[in-house]
Amino acid sequence: GSTDLYVSDSTDQAPAKVAFNVATEVTSVSGPNPTSLASGATANYTYKFTTSSTGALTAGDTITLVAPSASSTNATAGTVFPPSATDYTVNGVVVAASGTVSPVISGSTVSVTITTPISIGDGIPVTVVVAGVTNPTVSSNTAETGAVYTSEDGYAAATPSYTITSA
């Protein structure tokens, strides 16, 4: 949430107000729980989390999912999120009805940001299912982690580790 900080120095002792936002994070993160852990396989990913006590989302806010890319340990190809909004649901509602999907690869991570088709209150459990994700291609069994954050809970919360098995 938004917080005010008052600052003064020995020269100008009248405090100056500086407003800033404190990032919160989602809680109770689980997933992505791929339906297949095989290297390079296509799987459905299910991410679960709870919005923070101040993290309510309105329809049109965003949820970002982060996964390993090709530059992660032992990977020759990274996780690939599908580009179609119809492959994503938020609490059972298809994103395509009102949203967009933006997959991005940046350094050692790949992420996708989706617009939520529904409003979700403070402290409410959320389930995001992604159909048709391509697992990273790995040369040996590799433990991976991801992250989840929202437009209201902007600090990325890590997912539990999961192991992609080599071919």
Side-chain angles (χ1 to χ4, degrees):
S2 181
T3 302
D4 294 331
L5 173 68
Y6 293 88
V7 179
S8 64
D9 63 22
S10 60
T11 305
D12 185 6
Q13 295 183 357
K17 179 173 133 179
V18 179
F20 64 96
N21 288 320
V22 176
T24 55
E25 70 180 358
V26 298
T27 61
S28 305
V29 178
S30 69
N33 300 325
T35 53
S36 172
L37 293 170
S39 174
T42 300
N44 294 343
Y45 278 34
T46 300
Y47 292 83
K48 294 183 178 187
F49 63 91
T50 301
T51 58
S52 73
S53 62
T54 59
L57 299 169
T58 58
D61 281 346
T62 61
I63 299 170
T64 300
L65 310 173
V66 181
S69 79
S71 58
S72 68
T73 308
N74 298 321
T76 57
T79 305
V80 178
F81 285 109
S84 173
T86 58
D87 292 320
Y88 298 80
T89 62
V90 177
N91 287 0
V93 178
V94 177
V95 171
S98 63
T100 58
V101 173
S102 302
V104 174
I105 298 172
S106 177
S108 64
T109 61
V110 60
S111 63
V112 63
T113 299
I114 60 174
T115 54
T116 179
I118 57 173
S119 295
I120 302 165
D122 294 332
I124 299 298
V126 179
T127 300
V128 177
V129 177
V130 187
V133 178
T134 303
N135 287 340
T137 303
V138 297
S139 57
S140 62
N141 291 359
T142 304
E144 304 287 6
T145 58
V148 177
Y149 61 94
T150 73
S151 52
E152 299 303 313
D153 289 322
Y155 185 79
T159 66
S161 178
Y162 57 102
T163 299
I164 300 297
T165 55
S166 63

